[in-house]
Amino acid sequence: MVNYFVTTRLYLKNLAATEVFRHELEQGGDIVDDLESLWQYLKSKFQQTLTKVGFDTWIESAAPIRITDKNIIIEVPSSFHKDYWEKNIATKVVEYLYEYTGQEILPIFVIKNEETSANHINETEKITVEPTKRKDALLNDKYTFDTFVIGKGNQMAHAAALVVAEDPGMLYNPLFFYGGVGLGKTHLMHAIGHQMLLLNPEAKVKYVSSETFANDFINSIQTKSQEKFRTEYRNVDLLLVDDIQFFADKEGTQEEFFHTFNALYDDRKQIVLTSDRLPNEIPKLQERLVSRFAWGLSVDITPPDLETRIAILRRKANAERLEIPPDTLSYIAGQIDSNIRELEGALVRVQAYAAIESKDISTSLAADALKSIIPSSKPSTLSIQEIQKAVSDYFNITLADITGKKRIKSIVVPRQIAMYLSRELTSNSLPKIGAEFGGKDHTTVIHAYEKIDHQLHLDDDLRRSVEDIKEKLAR
Ligand SMILES: Nc1ncnc2c1ncn2[C@@H]1O[C@H](COP(=O)(O)OP(=O)(O)OP(=O)(O)O)[C@@H](O)[C@H]1O
């Protein structure tokens, strides 16, 4: 019998030498005519060893490309998946392939190209995993991995969430999700909690918003029950803290959280945090917290593309047993592009409108129902380019300066004003505004918006300039 461990060592030894693999691949002839049957065999083996969510995430998203007598090429959706396969699944592939072919065949992982990766959107409609009924964890029953639709913008966050749910405290600690509002950060957090409890019903899971943490802490001081507070927060296996940007300005809470974090981290307990921005962009977050949060993995969630939005709506419509024609789903998904909570709200609105009118849901009914909330109904038809031009004319700088990267104050302030006005006066999403400013991140737009918004109350000159520009734009 060829020892599987020898095979594994061989595999690991060669892992870095992908080029050698490729050469060998070119030398080797095809050995299996029916790649599909072999893949089915591998899948059936993994079905027995992985959880359903693990199987869906890692195996279902991969596809075999070719096999020779030396290698099998497996296509995976992202570098994150590739990394996970190499570290956790590859040795099993070698073992199972040996069982099937009697030969040592080493896997090579290639990343699927960007254009086609949308094909991997998980549109599984069935909900098979019963969410945990443990109420003390305060988890929302609806927020599980099964109800989470995977798309380009959240694929990596979803995979990382699954890793920490199945292997808490080991690989990514803390796990930090950041991104705009309503994009699924809370949903993923709860899914981690459910999955962990499913695998280990005895696990202690605690989910809190940052406000609840702060309030619990303040109450514990007022009621002299700090010991109880500490026991409650430091004796858990998984601590989930949502929206930690609200820790800004709360010195005492940050101090306490620092100690909570250290206690859990030292005990190898898993910590998961979310915020609307990266830790170093949260104003007044203590440096020592910022650096600790960077110990683990930070993953952003970006707004879903159209296919993902349609898949989310379809899942929701199915769950509510609503009959909605595909083109109507596409229409609704096309109207709301940056916030899934609003997308779901739009569907509820269409549903209510159909009930009131006693009509079936159609595209024209959806258009009527959404008239008052879709972006095109906002009063302004102003474009971002018009705003950029008005601001650059006003400050006598070039359009290239407005969209460029120069960091001098005489350009940075007008650029921030232009971003502020783009958010105030147009219905464009934050990522779209960022893109129009030379491909900047949405968090840069949030930062600019908040800075100008704040300064307007303090700086008369700035306020006058913004009013003048607005007036010019209104003409
Ligand atoms: N990928 C997804 N698949 C299915 N539903 C989703 C997905 N992403 C978000 N949702 C749904 O959208 C709604 C908003 O998501 P969630 O509350 O998790 O957003 P969030 O990023 O935490 O927002 P906030 O920053 O406001 O806290 C929820 O109902 C959630 O179930």
Side-chain angles (χ1 to χ4, degrees):
M1 182 183 112
V2 171
N3 187 331
Y4 148 62
F5 292 105
V6 174
T7 315
T8 301
R9 273 206 302 281
L10 178 68
Y11 170 71
L12 291 173
K13 202 174 112 217
N14 283 296
L15 196 58
T18 306
E19 281 314 309
V20 177
F21 283 1
R22 284 189 199 289
H23 177 70
E24 286 180 351
L25 174 79
E26 269 141 35
Q27 306 302 306
D30 287 2
I31 53 152
V32 177
D33 292 338
D34 191 357
L35 184 56
E36 193 42 44
S37 319
L38 177 137
W39 188 246
Q40 285 311 325
Y41 176 77
L42 281 182
K43 279 172 72 169
S44 68
K45 297 294 280 189
F46 283 118
Q47 227 152 7
Q48 290 160 25
T49 52
L50 296 177
T51 60
K52 179 182 179 306
V53 181
F55 180 82
D56 288 348
T57 305
W58 307 117
I59 313 297
E60 288 285 45
S61 66
I65 302 294
R66 192 179 161 210
I67 188 162
T68 70
D69 57 359
K70 290 192 171 20
N71 301 105
I72 179 166
I73 312 243
I74 298 176
E75 187 179 66
V76 292
S78 71
S79 58
F80 186 78
H81 287 73
K82 181 169 181 273
D83 202 37
Y84 189 87
W85 269 84
E86 287 177 348
K87 288 201 183 106
N88 303 288
I89 309 181
T91 52
K92 284 279 167 204
V93 174
V94 179
E95 183 187 344
Y96 298 152
L97 285 176
Y98 183 77
E99 281 172 17
Y100 192 85
T101 64
Q103 297 196 38
E104 282 181 11
I105 297 172
L106 308 178
I108 296 174
F109 301 101
V110 293
I111 300 168
K112 194 170 169 71
N113 65 37
E114 295 268 306
E115 283 75 46
T116 53
S117 64
N119 297 340
H120 282 305
I121 289 167
N122 174 356
E123 294 191 30
T124 326
E125 303 296 356
K126 51 191 186 306
I127 297 169
T128 47
V129 176
E130 267 292 299
T132 170
K133 294 292 175 223
R134 284 273 300 274
K135 290 296 170 214
D136 52 341
L138 293 177
L139 299 174
N140 184 328
D141 282 357
K142 291 195 180 134
Y143 294 173
T144 63
F145 280 121
D146 274 312
T147 57
F148 192 82
V149 176
I150 304 165
K152 248 189 243 169
N154 61 30
Q155 194 165 43
M156 179 160 163
H158 170 267
L162 188 63
V163 170
V164 305
E166 303 206 329
D167 220 352
M170 300 305 288
L171 279 168
Y172 309 127
N173 206 14
L175 177 59
F176 192 100
F177 294 129
Y178 66 99
V181 287
L183 294 183
K185 301 183 293 296
T186 305
H187 187 136
L188 269 185
M189 253 192 166
H190 285 235
I192 295 172
H194 284 302
Q195 184 72 4
M196 191 166 160
L197 286 169
L198 200 73
L199 299 173
N200 173 13
E202 297 310 314
K204 287 197 198 121
V205 173
K206 190 167 180 68
Y207 165 84
V208 281
S209 66
S210 60
E211 280 116 328
T212 304
F213 182 90
N215 290 339
D216 285 356
F217 171 59
I218 292 163
N219 286 340
S220 77
I221 299 174
Q222 284 166 351
T223 56
K224 297 197 172 48
S225 55
Q226 274 151 294
E227 220 27 67
K228 183 167 166 273
F229 170 87
R230 285 179 187 146
T231 313
E232 212 173 285
Y233 276 93
R234 296 184 194 180
N235 286 326
V236 296
D237 299 300
L238 171 65
L239 180 64
L240 308 158
V241 186
D242 213 352
D243 289 327
I244 60 141
Q245 70 272 14
F246 296 121
F247 275 168
D249 284 335
K250 295 186 179 118
E251 274 288 321
T253 304
Q254 288 191 30
E255 174 82 25
E256 187 59 34
F257 188 69
F258 174 75
H259 296 298
T260 307
F261 182 99
N262 288 344
L264 290 173
Y265 188 88
D266 291 346
D267 264 0
R268 296 184 144 231
K269 304 301 185 191
Q270 182 67 46
I271 303 154
V272 182
L273 307 166
T274 74
S275 166
D276 63 351
R277 62 200 91 180
L278 273 167
N280 61 4
E281 290 166 352
I282 300 174
K284 299 196 187 144
L285 187 65
Q286 293 173 4
E287 197 42 49
R288 56 188 185 165
L289 282 178
V290 173
S291 75
R292 268 164 184 73
F293 295 168
W295 283 349
L297 178 72
S298 299
V299 199
D300 67 336
I301 302 188
T302 55
D305 56 15
L306 184 65
E307 284 97 329
T308 314
R309 297 201 301 278
I310 295 171
I312 290 171
L313 282 179
R314 188 178 309 130
R315 171 183 285 282
K316 181 117 177 110
N318 285 351
E320 307 277 323
R321 299 187 196 289
L322 293 176
E323 292 256 328
I324 307 188
D327 61 331
T328 308
L329 284 181
S330 313
Y331 171 79
I332 301 171
Q335 301 308 314
I336 290 152
D337 64 358
S338 60
N339 181 330
I340 297 169
R341 193 175 294 117
E342 282 179 11
L343 190 65
E344 290 181 340
L347 188 65
V348 171
R349 200 180 170 91
V350 170
Q351 185 185 1
Y353 194 80
I356 293 165
E357 298 280 310
S358 301
K359 287 184 181 154
D360 288 342
I361 296 177
S362 64
T363 304
S364 69
L365 179 130
D368 280 348
L370 300 180
K371 225 173 7 213
S372 59
I373 61 164
I374 55 178
S376 62
S377 65
K378 283 203 174 180
S380 168
T381 51
L382 218 50
S383 71
I384 297 173
Q385 287 76 12
E386 283 169 305
I387 292 172
Q388 289 171 335
K389 171 138 190 3
V391 174
S392 55
D393 287 351
Y394 186 88
F395 289 102
N396 216 5
I397 58 173
T398 66
L399 259 179
D401 284 335
I402 287 273
T403 57
K405 290 199 170 106
K406 282 191 200 150
R407 300 289 314 151
I408 45 175
K409 195 173 174 206
S410 58
I411 292 176
V412 169
V413 175
R415 187 185 294 139
Q416 290 179 331
I417 292 176
M419 287 184 182
Y420 168 86
L421 289 173
S422 300
R423 184 162 183 208
E424 272 283 296
L425 304 177
T426 80
S427 53
N428 290 288
S429 64
L430 293 170
K432 166 91 172 126
I433 296 173
E436 296 290 331
F437 279 81
K440 298 198 173 53
D441 194 75
H442 75 277
T443 54
T444 310
V445 184
I446 297 178
H447 174 70
Y449 181 86
E450 289 180 350
K451 179 143 181 254
I452 298 298
D453 194 44
H454 181 68
Q455 286 296 114
L456 284 176
H457 302 288
L458 311 172
D459 182 339
D460 289 342
D461 288 345
L462 179 80
R463 194 170 56 246
R464 258 190 303 277
S465 301
V466 170
E467 276 164 13
D468 284 351
I469 298 166
K470 272 186 172 174
E471 216 167 279
K472 287 206 171 78
L473 283 165
R475 276 184 215 146

